[in-house]
Amino acid sequence: MGCFEIGAFWLIVNIISIDADTSAGGIRAECLGNRVQFTLPSSLSEGSPLEVYAVNNAQTVFLTPHLAAQCGYTQKLDPWGNTRVSASLKSCFAEKQGDKEFKVAIQVKLYEFPKLSAKVLEASKSCSHTVASREILCETNFMEVSVRIAIPEFKEASVKGGPTVIPNLQLWNILLYTPGEKAFDRETLQGMGYNVYSSPTRLVMRSPYNMAENFVLNVDDVDMIVFKSVVLFRDRWMMAIVESTAACPTNGASVVGQMISWRFPLHLTPLMSSEVEILEVHMGIDGRRLTSEEMSSHNYGMISTKSHVVVEIPIGAPGGYYKSHAVENQYHISYTIEPMLELMWMEGQDKTTYKVLFPITTPLTPCPPHITDNTQPKQKVFEALLSYFLPDVVLLNITFGSELLTVSEVIIKGIGLQEQSFPNGTKAFALQVPFSQPYVQEKTLRPDRRTYFLPLVFGFVILPERASFSYSTVLEASSDIVRPTAGGRCSEDIFKINVKYGSTPRSQLQIKLGQVELSDEVLQEYEHHSNETHFIITVPFLAPLVALESVQLTGVLGRIDVELYDTLNNLQVKDFSLACPFFVKMSECFSNGTIGVVVPKLESVPRLLPGELSLRDPACKPYYNEAHFAFFRFDVTTCGTTRKFVGDTMKYENVVTWKKDEPLPQTSKFHLEPEYRIYVSCVYSANSTQSMIFHSISHFKEPETDVGKGELTVSLRLSQDMVYKLFYHDGDYPVLKFLKQPLYFEVGMDHSRDSRVAVGLENCWATLTKDRESQPKWDLIVDGCPNPKGPEQTIIHPVSEDDRVDIPDHFKRFEVKEFTLREDDGSSESEDATVARRVGANHFGFQRHPDNGRLIKALEERVDGVHFN
């Protein structure tokens, strides 16, 4: 048998229409000749444990497997979860009216988890059936023979012409043939597990298959289990002997290719003489007789030879089902179907009907799973389809390398996993694993090729047995190596650097600008953007990442160096440098006689400390300095500034020099530390005429202003990044943030088009509740400036016109790093906290500046759902 041939369906529907009644509880019941069948749909049981009871008037008896076989009941569970209970019309608890009318009733108790409360369903079915002289039924768990008792009538011998007398026969003794003869009384036989029922007109004998008194007889190469008995009846006048025999096959089925063949002997020597002619032969499935049209449509075959009836059934035909098995950690399947044969023959004046239900299961067939690798290396994702499986197979876990993950853990880790179903009832599992996952191994076997490996072990379980098996494979994909590239351009006072990753994952690419590796902490100081393919960063020309080569009167020549390093392969993959002149004013001469000058640190003087620079007067140190520049502000009459007249102008000059406190060590006689000297000059007009226009205002008219009333809508929003392009909405909260992670806020008037109106922030504070006056609170902005007492000082960001902002004066932006408030004294915590806290929780209030009438009303906005850790 092949694995899942086309047309071999798992979800097989009933092959004939069913004339069945449905009880109020949803149980279907139908009469099937000398049997009645009840079906409890899976939708009612839903996998819950259940118990089946036989009902006779007020009597309710639990049907154990032993009692069911003894009393003529059979219980089966099909692959779809439907429970089928069938009973002989002559079962122990059936209500009988003569030999024509029968009623069978059952009760089903469903136990619901977790309370284990019982739900009771009841169903009954009345069937009309004309009983033959002898009926033999071979069910899957018992065999039954029903024989009509023919008792002669006679007249009283002592009275001539006396009344007719019907003997009142009583069951006296039972002889079983094993094949030797053994005698039993009725009670003993019942206690052994047999069932004996007698009425004035009929004897019913029933035996489970595994009884010791039954024997096996080979009939035309088919083994038959024989249950043979002779029952003795007597009264004071006479004795009657009733023979009853049942014979049921135990083999005869074989599999050739894709066809099941079942051979059944026509001359059942334990049951008939050699002169008997078979009158009728019918085939059925699951106890239901089929018409010739139904057999033809499903490719069933039935032929008769001189000695046998041969039934042929294609593997996978409707009416059967496939089942999964695990053998030595390998996946196998089998196919099961339950054909039925009905025979009728006449022997003298007595008619015999014979019915056998014979489940057939094919031998186990190995069916190893098939892996289809659909990986496209350019997508950088392993895509594979593991097929094919039956519905009773459940994927339990997947081992990636050495780490075992359950199905739920696989999905949580961002790995794609879907179960796909197919029209023939089978299913497969689709897996998508990005190359960036840590389980993917990467090797460069050739200089121009990169190969990715993903070892996998799939763990499965088969229901309901919970048998397990696994399947191992290694996915492999290769792609051409595309080296990372770097480029950039200059604009006004910034460098714009872009890096394309190529085929190198971002996680293993180290980027250095200048001498600084771009860590998350460094990136917080610069505007940047990244996705799966490239990275862009904007760097001001005076940033520490920039090397300044020279300072000219017209501006500064700056250079930024980019280094790309593959950390996995320990390989420097790209060097790039971009040098640009920036035509910016480094100094400014003010009309009040003040000079301001920015003095950068040059690359040629690496040991320079900007704080050690001074003007001509050594006491004139920088007004402000950082590691990479210094700012001087001085009056033209101070710091050793000289003056000279040139025509109608005055020229003031000074010089910035580096006077080292201690002489620097000479690295070699050829490399002396260069001298640092920058000249500063300002030219003022010594003799010039300025004109101005003014208008006088009458003292008799006081100035007036129009009084107006109105309302401006001002909103506070939390940006998703420092670019202020994407903002969180109400439905996004709560948002998870961590301690010291920056929050980017924007306050603005979105609906105003009046350029005469501007937003100004005077005071801003955070509280624990929505009440702006509640305590504790922490000041973020005080008098328009960042709170100097803050552990992480608030940063005010400028607003420039872009595609979203038409009027920059309508917006204010600031950055606050995460902190938590202590409820005791209102102070802030900057240490790592161990308990997550809501800051939606923390509210931000803004107060209008008393002198700024342009911000109409105070703003209080809740930033809901931000968490502090």
Side-chain angles (χ1 to χ4, degrees), residues 380-393:
K380 296 188 176 181
V381 176
F382 278 113
E383 291 192 11
L385 186 71
L386 186 61
S387 57
Y388 293 96
F389 302 93
L390 297 176
D392 57 354
V393 173

mmCIF file with all atom_site columns, all heavy atoms in Angstrom, residues 380-393:
data_model
loop_
_atom_site.group_PDB
_atom_site.id
_atom_site.type_symbol
_atom_site.label_atom_id
_atom_site.label_alt_id
_atom_site.label_comp_id
_atom_site.label_asym_id
_atom_site.label_entity_id
_atom_site.label_seq_id
_atom_site.pdbx_PDB_ins_code
_atom_site.Cartn_x
_atom_site.Cartn_y
_atom_site.Cartn_z
_atom_site.occupancy
_atom_site.B_iso_or_equiv
_atom_site.pdbx_formal_charge
_atom_site.auth_seq_id
_atom_site.auth_comp_id
_atom_site.auth_asym_id
_atom_site.auth_atom_id
_atom_site.pdbx_PDB_model_num
ATOM 1   N N   . LYS A 1 380 ? 16.267 35.353 2.760  1.00 0.00 ? 380 LYS A N   1
ATOM 2   C CA  . LYS A 1 380 ? 16.943 35.104 4.034  1.00 0.00 ? 380 LYS A CA  1
ATOM 3   C C   . LYS A 1 380 ? 16.023 34.451 5.055  1.00 0.00 ? 380 LYS A C   1
ATOM 4   O O   . LYS A 1 380 ? 16.048 34.768 6.240  1.00 0.00 ? 380 LYS A O   1
ATOM 5   C CB  . LYS A 1 380 ? 17.529 36.409 4.603  1.00 0.00 ? 380 LYS A CB  1
ATOM 6   C CG  . LYS A 1 380 ? 18.612 37.010 3.726  1.00 0.00 ? 380 LYS A CG  1
ATOM 7   C CD  . LYS A 1 380 ? 19.303 38.185 4.399  1.00 0.00 ? 380 LYS A CD  1
ATOM 8   C CE  . LYS A 1 380 ? 20.435 38.707 3.532  1.00 0.00 ? 380 LYS A CE  1
ATOM 9   N NZ  . LYS A 1 380 ? 21.142 39.832 4.162  1.00 0.00 ? 380 LYS A NZ  1
ATOM 10  N N   . VAL A 1 381 ? 15.215 33.528 4.570  1.00 0.00 ? 381 VAL A N   1
ATOM 11  C CA  . VAL A 1 381 ? 14.301 32.788 5.435  1.00 0.00 ? 381 VAL A CA  1
ATOM 12  C C   . VAL A 1 381 ? 14.245 31.348 4.935  1.00 0.00 ? 381 VAL A C   1
ATOM 13  O O   . VAL A 1 381 ? 14.042 31.100 3.741  1.00 0.00 ? 381 VAL A O   1
ATOM 14  C CB  . VAL A 1 381 ? 12.879 33.395 5.421  1.00 0.00 ? 381 VAL A CB  1
ATOM 15  C CG1 . VAL A 1 381 ? 11.927 32.535 6.261  1.00 0.00 ? 381 VAL A CG1 1
ATOM 16  C CG2 . VAL A 1 381 ? 12.889 34.812 5.951  1.00 0.00 ? 381 VAL A CG2 1
ATOM 17  N N   . PHE A 1 382 ? 14.468 30.387 5.858  1.00 0.00 ? 382 PHE A N   1
ATOM 18  C CA  . PHE A 1 382 ? 14.230 28.992 5.512  1.00 0.00 ? 382 PHE A CA  1
ATOM 19  C C   . PHE A 1 382 ? 12.729 28.763 5.447  1.00 0.00 ? 382 PHE A C   1
ATOM 20  O O   . PHE A 1 382 ? 11.993 29.088 6.381  1.00 0.00 ? 382 PHE A O   1
ATOM 21  C CB  . PHE A 1 382 ? 14.834 28.063 6.566  1.00 0.00 ? 382 PHE A CB  1
ATOM 22  C CG  . PHE A 1 382 ? 16.309 27.819 6.395  1.00 0.00 ? 382 PHE A CG  1
ATOM 23  C CD1 . PHE A 1 382 ? 17.217 28.288 7.328  1.00 0.00 ? 382 PHE A CD1 1
ATOM 24  C CD2 . PHE A 1 382 ? 16.782 27.098 5.305  1.00 0.00 ? 382 PHE A CD2 1
ATOM 25  C CE1 . PHE A 1 382 ? 18.571 28.061 7.184  1.00 0.00 ? 382 PHE A CE1 1
ATOM 26  C CE2 . PHE A 1 382 ? 18.135 26.861 5.144  1.00 0.00 ? 382 PHE A CE2 1
ATOM 27  C CZ  . PHE A 1 382 ? 19.030 27.350 6.078  1.00 0.00 ? 382 PHE A CZ  1
ATOM 28  N N   . GLU A 1 383 ? 12.263 28.199 4.340  1.00 0.00 ? 383 GLU A N   1
ATOM 29  C CA  . GLU A 1 383 ? 10.859 27.835 4.202  1.00 0.00 ? 383 GLU A CA  1
ATOM 30  C C   . GLU A 1 383 ? 10.792 26.367 3.806  1.00 0.00 ? 383 GLU A C   1
ATOM 31  O O   . GLU A 1 383 ? 11.354 25.979 2.779  1.00 0.00 ? 383 GLU A O   1
ATOM 32  C CB  . GLU A 1 383 ? 10.148 28.697 3.152  1.00 0.00 ? 383 GLU A CB  1
ATOM 33  C CG  . GLU A 1 383 ? 9.986  30.146 3.568  1.00 0.00 ? 383 GLU A CG  1
ATOM 34  C CD  . GLU A 1 383 ? 9.036  30.906 2.655  1.00 0.00 ? 383 GLU A CD  1
ATOM 35  O OE1 . GLU A 1 383 ? 8.370  30.243 1.841  1.00 0.00 ? 383 GLU A OE1 1
ATOM 36  O OE2 . GLU A 1 383 ? 8.971  32.134 2.761  1.00 0.00 ? 383 GLU A OE2 1
ATOM 37  N N   . ALA A 1 384 ? 10.108 25.568 4.634  1.00 0.00 ? 384 ALA A N   1
ATOM 38  C CA  . ALA A 1 384 ? 10.037 24.135 4.374  1.00 0.00 ? 384 ALA A CA  1
ATOM 39  C C   . ALA A 1 384 ? 8.633  23.639 4.686  1.00 0.00 ? 384 ALA A C   1
ATOM 40  O O   . ALA A 1 384 ? 7.935  24.185 5.545  1.00 0.00 ? 384 ALA A O   1
ATOM 41  C CB  . ALA A 1 384 ? 11.063 23.381 5.214  1.00 0.00 ? 384 ALA A CB  1
ATOM 42  N N   . LEU A 1 385 ? 8.225  22.594 3.956  1.00 0.00 ? 385 LEU A N   1
ATOM 43  C CA  . LEU A 1 385 ? 6.923  21.957 4.160  1.00 0.00 ? 385 LEU A CA  1
ATOM 44  C C   . LEU A 1 385 ? 7.172  20.492 4.474  1.00 0.00 ? 385 LEU A C   1
ATOM 45  O O   . LEU A 1 385 ? 7.755  19.764 3.667  1.00 0.00 ? 385 LEU A O   1
ATOM 46  C CB  . LEU A 1 385 ? 6.047  22.093 2.915  1.00 0.00 ? 385 LEU A CB  1
ATOM 47  C CG  . LEU A 1 385 ? 4.611  21.583 3.054  1.00 0.00 ? 385 LEU A CG  1
ATOM 48  C CD1 . LEU A 1 385 ? 3.806  22.509 3.959  1.00 0.00 ? 385 LEU A CD1 1
ATOM 49  C CD2 . LEU A 1 385 ? 3.945  21.480 1.686  1.00 0.00 ? 385 LEU A CD2 1
ATOM 50  N N   . LEU A 1 386 ? 6.738  20.057 5.659  1.00 0.00 ? 386 LEU A N   1
ATOM 51  C CA  . LEU A 1 386 ? 6.895  18.667 6.078  1.00 0.00 ? 386 LEU A CA  1
ATOM 52  C C   . LEU A 1 386 ? 5.552  17.971 5.902  1.00 0.00 ? 386 LEU A C   1
ATOM 53  O O   . LEU A 1 386 ? 4.561  18.343 6.525  1.00 0.00 ? 386 LEU A O   1
ATOM 54  C CB  . LEU A 1 386 ? 7.360  18.600 7.534  1.00 0.00 ? 386 LEU A CB  1
ATOM 55  C CG  . LEU A 1 386 ? 7.698  17.205 8.062  1.00 0.00 ? 386 LEU A CG  1
ATOM 56  C CD1 . LEU A 1 386 ? 8.843  16.598 7.267  1.00 0.00 ? 386 LEU A CD1 1
ATOM 57  C CD2 . LEU A 1 386 ? 8.057  17.264 9.543  1.00 0.00 ? 386 LEU A CD2 1
ATOM 58  N N   . SER A 1 387 ? 5.516  16.941 5.066  1.00 0.00 ? 387 SER A N   1
ATOM 59  C CA  . SER A 1 387 ? 4.253  16.281 4.728  1.00 0.00 ? 387 SER A CA  1
ATOM 60  C C   . SER A 1 387 ? 4.525  14.773 4.582  1.00 0.00 ? 387 SER A C   1
ATOM 61  O O   . SER A 1 387 ? 5.672  14.356 4.487  1.00 0.00 ? 387 SER A O   1
ATOM 62  C CB  . SER A 1 387 ? 3.706  16.864 3.426  1.00 0.00 ? 387 SER A CB  1
ATOM 63  O OG  . SER A 1 387 ? 4.682  16.724 2.387  1.00 0.00 ? 387 SER A OG  1
ATOM 64  N N   . TYR A 1 388 ? 3.506  13.907 4.502  1.00 0.00 ? 388 TYR A N   1
ATOM 65  C CA  . TYR A 1 388 ? 2.096  14.151 4.776  1.00 0.00 ? 388 TYR A CA  1
ATOM 66  C C   . TYR A 1 388 ? 1.735  13.330 5.993  1.00 0.00 ? 388 TYR A C   1
ATOM 67  O O   . TYR A 1 388 ? 2.325  12.263 6.215  1.00 0.00 ? 388 TYR A O   1
ATOM 68  C CB  . TYR A 1 388 ? 1.229  13.737 3.583  1.00 0.00 ? 388 TYR A CB  1
ATOM 69  C CG  . TYR A 1 388 ? 1.446  14.586 2.357  1.00 0.00 ? 388 TYR A CG  1
ATOM 70  C CD1 . TYR A 1 388 ? 2.323  14.185 1.357  1.00 0.00 ? 388 TYR A CD1 1
ATOM 71  C CD2 . TYR A 1 388 ? 0.774  15.796 2.208  1.00 0.00 ? 388 TYR A CD2 1
ATOM 72  C CE1 . TYR A 1 388 ? 2.528  14.981 0.245  1.00 0.00 ? 388 TYR A CE1 1
ATOM 73  C CE2 . TYR A 1 388 ? 0.957  16.580 1.085  1.00 0.00 ? 388 TYR A CE2 1
ATOM 74  C CZ  . TYR A 1 388 ? 1.846  16.176 0.118  1.00 0.00 ? 388 TYR A CZ  1
ATOM 75  O OH  . TYR A 1 388 ? 2.046  16.963 -0.980 1.00 0.00 ? 388 TYR A OH  1
ATOM 76  N N   . PHE A 1 389 ? 0.736  13.799 6.745  1.00 0.00 ? 389 PHE A N   1
ATOM 77  C CA  . PHE A 1 389 ? 0.344  13.124 7.972  1.00 0.00 ? 389 PHE A CA  1
ATOM 78  C C   . PHE A 1 389 ? -1.178 13.004 8.022  1.00 0.00 ? 389 PHE A C   1
ATOM 79  O O   . PHE A 1 389 ? -1.905 13.804 7.415  1.00 0.00 ? 389 PHE A O   1
ATOM 80  C CB  . PHE A 1 389 ? 0.823  13.900 9.198  1.00 0.00 ? 389 PHE A CB  1
ATOM 81  C CG  . PHE A 1 389 ? 2.313  14.113 9.241  1.00 0.00 ? 389 PHE A CG  1
ATOM 82  C CD1 . PHE A 1 389 ? 2.877  15.271 8.718  1.00 0.00 ? 389 PHE A CD1 1
ATOM 83  C CD2 . PHE A 1 389 ? 3.151  13.155 9.787  1.00 0.00 ? 389 PHE A CD2 1
ATOM 84  C CE1 . PHE A 1 389 ? 4.241  15.466 8.738  1.00 0.00 ? 389 PHE A CE1 1
ATOM 85  C CE2 . PHE A 1 389 ? 4.531  13.350 9.812  1.00 0.00 ? 389 PHE A CE2 1
ATOM 86  C CZ  . PHE A 1 389 ? 5.076  14.504 9.289  1.00 0.00 ? 389 PHE A CZ  1
ATOM 87  N N   . LEU A 1 390 ? -1.639 12.016 8.772  1.00 0.00 ? 390 LEU A N   1
ATOM 88  C CA  . LEU A 1 390 ? -3.066 11.864 9.008  1.00 0.00 ? 390 LEU A CA  1
ATOM 89  C C   . LEU A 1 390 ? -3.514 12.791 10.131 1.00 0.00 ? 390 LEU A C   1
ATOM 90  O O   . LEU A 1 390 ? -2.684 13.260 10.925 1.00 0.00 ? 390 LEU A O   1
ATOM 91  C CB  . LEU A 1 390 ? -3.389 10.413 9.367  1.00 0.00 ? 390 LEU A CB  1
ATOM 92  C CG  . LEU A 1 390 ? -3.088 9.378  8.272  1.00 0.00 ? 390 LEU A CG  1
ATOM 93  C CD1 . LEU A 1 390 ? -3.345 7.975  8.774  1.00 0.00 ? 390 LEU A CD1 1
ATOM 94  C CD2 . LEU A 1 390 ? -3.900 9.648  7.022  1.00 0.00 ? 390 LEU A CD2 1
ATOM 95  N N   . PRO A 1 391 ? -4.807 13.053 10.230 1.00 0.00 ? 391 PRO A N   1
ATOM 96  C CA  . PRO A 1 391 ? -5.281 13.993 11.266 1.00 0.00 ? 391 PRO A CA  1
ATOM 97  C C   . PRO A 1 391 ? -5.006 13.554 12.692 1.00 0.00 ? 391 PRO A C   1
ATOM 98  O O   . PRO A 1 391 ? -5.049 14.381 13.603 1.00 0.00 ? 391 PRO A O   1
ATOM 99  C CB  . PRO A 1 391 ? -6.791 14.070 10.996 1.00 0.00 ? 391 PRO A CB  1
ATOM 100 C CG  . PRO A 1 391 ? -6.934 13.741 9.551  1.00 0.00 ? 391 PRO A CG  1
ATOM 101 C CD  . PRO A 1 391 ? -5.882 12.715 9.277  1.00 0.00 ? 391 PRO A CD  1
ATOM 102 N N   . ASP A 1 392 ? -4.730 12.252 12.928 1.00 0.00 ? 392 ASP A N   1
ATOM 103 C CA  . ASP A 1 392 ? -4.474 11.818 14.298 1.00 0.00 ? 392 ASP A CA  1
ATOM 104 C C   . ASP A 1 392 ? -3.039 12.069 14.744 1.00 0.00 ? 392 ASP A C   1
ATOM 105 O O   . ASP A 1 392 ? -2.652 11.700 15.862 1.00 0.00 ? 392 ASP A O   1
ATOM 106 C CB  . ASP A 1 392 ? -4.819 10.340 14.481 1.00 0.00 ? 392 ASP A CB  1
ATOM 107 C CG  . ASP A 1 392 ? -4.051 9.435  13.521 1.00 0.00 ? 392 ASP A CG  1
ATOM 108 O OD1 . ASP A 1 392 ? -3.343 9.960  12.633 1.00 0.00 ? 392 ASP A OD1 1
ATOM 109 O OD2 . ASP A 1 392 ? -4.159 8.204  13.653 1.00 0.00 ? 392 ASP A OD2 1
ATOM 110 N N   . VAL A 1 393 ? -2.232 12.705 13.891 1.00 0.00 ? 393 VAL A N   1
ATOM 111 C CA  . VAL A 1 393 ? -0.851 13.050 14.242 1.00 0.00 ? 393 VAL A CA  1
ATOM 112 C C   . VAL A 1 393 ? -0.806 14.503 14.705 1.00 0.00 ? 393 VAL A C   1
ATOM 113 O O   . VAL A 1 393 ? -1.338 15.395 14.038 1.00 0.00 ? 393 VAL A O   1
ATOM 114 C CB  . VAL A 1 393 ? 0.091  12.843 13.044 1.00 0.00 ? 393 VAL A CB  1
ATOM 115 C CG1 . VAL A 1 393 ? 1.495  13.353 13.355 1.00 0.00 ? 393 VAL A CG1 1
ATOM 116 C CG2 . VAL A 1 393 ? 0.140  11.366 12.665 1.00 0.00 ? 393 VAL A CG2 1
#
